[in-house]
Amino acid sequence: MAEELIISISGMRGIVGENLTASIAEEYGCAFGTFLKKRLTGKKEKLSVCIGRDSRPSGEMLKTAVTEGLCKAGVDVIDLGLVTTPCAGIMVRELGCSGGMVVTASHNPSQYNGIKLLLGNSMAPPPDTAEQIKQCFFDKHFALADSNDYGRVTSNERTDTVHITKVLAIVDKEAIAARKFNVLLDSVNGAGGRVTKKLLDELGCVVTAINDEPTGVFAHAPEPTAKNLTGLCEAVKTGRAEIGFAQDPDADRLAIVDETGTYIGEEYTLALAAKYIFSTKTGKAATNLSTSRMLDDIAEEAGGQVVRTPVGEANVAKAMLEHNCIIGGEGNGGVIDLRVSPIRDSLVGIALVLQLMAETGKSISELVSEIGGYYMSKDKFTADKSQARQILDLAKEAFADAKLDTADGCRFDFDDGWLHLRVSNTEPVMRVIVEAKDQPTARKYIDAVSNIRKKILS
Ligand code: MG
């Protein structure tokens, strides 16, 4: 059976030509346009949505289809062209749009594509709002305009400039430029190459870019994990670079390779960025329940605090706004600085990490060893909703002494580590994330979960 089209909080994702076609994209445009019109009735000026795409071969086709849907609903469209997700998010507010749409399937392989939705505040819709848009898409009761009131399409090419200006404003450009960092950049032939090279040039770096052509034909599997970045690790070593940066195709996630050519793990991206921010001020940080305790250690040392949220960028961004957080993000390499936008942004991550290196005069491997670290294990297994509930109930009994957070599945905090059991929203899968001071300690928790799982699933 063909895979189902996934429609979640952040938008839709499917396989191009199979379950994601131009006509589906057009209807999604109609649905989003209809939703915005209903939500913003009484707004005098005509509604506008800005739209961008990553580099996938199907990107232009789907963007054109979505644009058609929006125009039919009477919404003006500002075409940003080939841009990253954080760039598009910044432009929603910069241009005063009522929403934004980004044609991207993020870190998924190139046969996939998707459409991310952003509201006028640059954030993904909250769950109840996302549900309304989804219903509108399925009901197909679109509020189409008369042909005289169709939306008009204009384009805007200022995205890179606006984004770079905002990122430069949060660091000391001269201090970074004085170091003339030798940097390797791997943009996986996604949307990140062009704007990131411009940023690194502004920061006075000596840049070697690999996979920087936005062809959408990904040079390696696009998720920025250790096994996919062996080429970057090698290039850092042979090029004697001081740091290697890897982006996913829509450039909201960032992974780092140290000067020895070692992949340091995505959890360190947020930790390093936070290390710099907390060296300048103290306050609150926000991250999801599956992210490393390294952030808590860094915040605590600076007299700060960490707010934990359910997994998902929108949840973290919402908490950041509510708690006026000075930094936030997710352990998958997503860094958010509200001074730039409420969206995970690899350019923000790059700028903050280079600032930390410039200010401390330390190499990336020295900074990583100063932060220290934990042993982390991420696993998943198939479990339907009822099995998942039974597993969570047994886990609550087994770990009755732990501090429990049930905002997103169950997160158990122990003195020597933590365990997060969460149920996927889109598939019958339970995820198990464990972090502990060392591997044997983590093993203890992993084995306890395996025993519970066997009881329920056997
Ligand atoms: Mg992404």
Side-chain angles (χ1 to χ4, degrees), residues 85 104 106-107 116 248-253 344:
T85 294
T104 177
S106 191
H107 58 274
K116 280 191 189 181
D248 74 332
D250 66 329
D252 56 355
R253 283 169 64 178
R344 295 177 304 196

Side-chain angles (χ1 to χ4, degrees), residues 171 175-176 179 181 183 199-200 203 205 243 245 348-360 364:
V171 289
I176 296 173
R179 296 289 307 274
F181 287 120
V183 172
L199 173 72
L200 290 168
L203 291 171
C205 296
I243 189 164
F245 292 118
V348 166
I350 286 171
L352 293 177
V353 171
L354 290 175
Q355 179 78 46
L356 180 67
M357 288 169 70
E359 227 147 87
T360 58
I364 203 72

Side-chain angles (χ1 to χ4, degrees), residues 104-160:
T104 177
S106 191
H107 58 274
N108 292 282
S110 65
Q111 67 268 34
Y112 287 85
N113 212 332
I115 304 164
K116 280 191 189 181
L117 302 178
L118 301 170
L119 298 182
N121 58 4
S122 300
M123 284 160 63
D128 53 334
T129 309
E131 192 52 41
Q132 287 172 38
I133 300 166
K134 187 173 161 181
Q135 266 318 311
C136 182
F137 170 73
F138 283 122
D139 296 345
K140 305 199 192 309
H141 294 146
F142 304 133
L144 301 183
D146 291 335
S147 56
N148 279 344
D149 292 324
Y150 266 25
R152 289 161 197 262
V153 185
T154 54
S155 59
N156 187 301
E157 290 174 358
R158 289 183 54 245
T159 309
D160 287 2

Side-chain angles (χ1 to χ4, degrees), residues 325-337:
C325 290
I326 56 175
I327 189 77
E330 298 192 290
N332 60 4
V335 179
I336 302 173
D337 188 316

